[in-house]
Amino acid sequence: MKKILVIGSAGQIGSELTLSLRDIYGGENVIAGVRKTKPSEKLTETGPCEVVDALDMDGLVSVVKKYNIDGIINMAAILSGTGEKNPMLAWDVNMNGLINVLEVAREYKMKQVLVPSSIAVFGPTTPVDDTPQETILKPTTIYGVTKVAGELLGDYYVKRYGLDVRGLRYPGIISHETLPGGGTTDYAVAIYYEAIKNKKYTCFVNADTRLPMMYMPDCLKATIDLMQADFSKLKHHCDFNVGAMSFSVAEMAESIKKFIPEFEISYEPDFRQEIADSWPNSVDDSAAREEWGWKPDYDLDAMTEDMLKAIEEKHKKGLI
Ligand code: AKB
């Protein structure tokens, strides 16, 4: 790919992915697509930035033409928590945005499209431990429904039009650069911020809630490794399970206490408990390991140490 457009560049994954891709492909070759008119300085200073809304086909086409885009990464999505509050918005952004991206990619003969999926494709009837690659996909959230449909749609464009579409089922992503917004796994980021700021955290899911999680450096590695994998070697396309860690909230709190002994946690589960309960504990990612060599680097304590250090720095600088 010569010119990549990242839609959703201001988001939790998009913001860091855009910068990593600029390091690899050159700043001017990775266009940050943002919905905000005021993106961060890091984005504007390292390469081109454009206002892009995947729902606005004319706007999307004009950016594609302006930069001769030959690859799109569509990171714009309404996540599980916000989706349950506004199902029609989730359907609109996640489905109509996606079909616009796929259609523009088909029409302009793009080299690649990356369409993220999520552990939200699974549901309460899916096996919960080491969830297989091929399994029951009956999610009970609108976000999950759009992610299952998105995987199928991406695979359809591969088969029907020969378009190179790829995607992975992200677990909860933990990072300290840009806050996540509207997801169920957001507690796994908030807990670190609150540990630094207030030495305590009230969690919106219970102590035993165990979900697959991944630290941002592993998330970037997984995304970029999949993008760079040899297409002819892929048996799957838009639905790779990718695992890294699996831990309960209580285990997270214990990990934080190793660094901040006075840290306290309490629990006030809300509507997101039911969503978390419908997702797996851990996933079997052997297809990703076999087809493109996936292997994570971080475990819980290594991530905790790194997260706390980075957030402490922000706190000292008065940024949070
Ligand atoms: C969410 O919690 O909705 C997301 C996800 C697991 O896709 N972080």
Side-chain angles (χ1 to χ4, degrees):
M1 277 179 295
K2 293 205 173 86
K3 293 272 179 192
I4 303 170
L5 170 64
V6 183
I7 302 175
S9 258
Q12 185 197 15
I13 302 177
S15 57
E16 297 200 45
L17 183 62
T18 303
L19 298 181
S20 295
L21 292 173
R22 282 179 173 168
D23 286 342
I24 299 170
Y25 296 98
E28 71 285 5
N29 297 322
V30 181
I31 289 75
V34 294
R35 283 190 67 209
K36 293 188 211 160
T37 40
K38 271 205 169 165
S40 74
E41 278 179 13
K42 272 190 192 161
L43 281 183
T44 52
E45 283 169 2
T46 56
C49 260
E50 293 283 342
V51 174
V52 177
D53 178 350
L55 292 174
D56 169 16
M57 190 59 152
D58 292 343
L60 181 58
V61 167
S62 82
V63 172
V64 163
K65 283 187 181 162
K66 179 173 170 187
Y67 292 94
N68 269 320
I69 299 292
D70 61 359
I72 301 186
I73 298 174
N74 181 29
M75 286 291 164
I78 298 295
L79 301 186
S80 55
T82 308
E84 287 317 290
K85 288 186 186 152
N86 196 341
M88 281 312 292
L89 177 70
W91 180 265
D92 194 25
V93 171
N94 299 0
M95 295 314 308
N96 294 327
L98 174 61
I99 197 91
N100 282 352
V101 166
L102 290 169
E103 272 301 283
V104 95
R106 180 179 72 81
E107 192 156 328
Y108 289 85
K109 302 190 177 12
M110 304 237 173
K111 295 212 170 70
Q112 192 182 102
V113 180
L114 191 111
V115 175
S117 187
S118 160
I119 53 163
V121 293
F122 304 121
T125 52
T126 306
V128 285
D129 291 310
D130 274 332
T131 300
Q133 177 69 45
E134 312 298 340
T135 188
I136 301 164
L137 301 180
K138 287 193 166 194
T140 46
T141 62
I142 188 70
Y143 174 60
V145 170
T146 65
K147 287 293 159 189
V148 173
E151 287 183 354
L152 294 172
L153 201 55
D155 284 348
Y156 176 79
Y157 271 69
V158 175
K159 187 168 177 289
R160 177 77 169 77
Y161 302 114
L163 188 66
D164 177 347
V165 192
R166 308 169 181 208
L168 11 77
R169 292 171 174 158
Y170 289 119
I173 303 298
I174 298 173
S175 67
H176 51 75
E177 188 63 38
T178 307
L179 285 173
T184 299
T185 58
D186 292 9
Y187 67 83
V189 174
I191 193 172
Y192 289 114
Y193 278 82
E194 292 308 309
I196 292 292
K197 288 197 286 188
N198 302 315
K199 313 275 177 257
K200 58 179 187 207
Y201 177 57
T202 303
C203 189
F204 58 75
V205 294
N206 66 33
D208 299 332
T209 304
R210 178 180 294 279
L211 288 172
M213 297 280 178
M214 185 182 281
Y215 193 31
M216 183 58 91
D218 276 334
C219 169
L220 297 174
K221 184 169 88 156
T223 309
I224 293 168
D225 284 358
L226 175 60
M227 283 174 70
Q228 294 180 338
D230 181 347
F231 185 71
S232 68
K233 301 235 161 73
L234 301 182
K235 293 186 201 118
H236 298 85
H237 294 101
C238 298
D239 59 359
F240 282 102
N241 280 359
V242 276
M245 303 176 233
S246 163
F247 44 76
S248 68
V249 188
E251 286 163 358
M252 278 196 100
E254 283 312 309
S255 176
I256 292 174
K257 278 187 195 164
K258 288 182 191 160
F259 303 91
I260 306 176
E262 65 274 36
F263 177 67
E264 280 172 24
I265 185 144
S266 54
Y267 299 93
E268 279 177 21
D270 67 14
F271 72 100
R272 289 167 284 191
Q273 183 68 57
E274 197 183 332
I275 302 177
D277 289 344
S278 75
W279 291 349
N281 295 334
S282 60
V283 297
D284 171 2
D285 59 7
S286 43
R289 289 176 189 254
E290 277 156 31
E291 292 176 43
W292 48 275
W294 165 240
K295 190 172 172 293
D297 291 326
Y298 281 84
D299 64 15
L300 176 57
D301 285 344
M303 174 180 73
T304 297
E305 188 172 5
D306 224 49
M307 282 291 287
L308 292 176
K309 213 167 23 178
I311 297 168
E312 177 74 57
E313 281 300 306
K314 282 189 171 191
H315 196 233
K316 274 195 205 138
K317 289 184 189 155
L319 297 172
I320 55 164

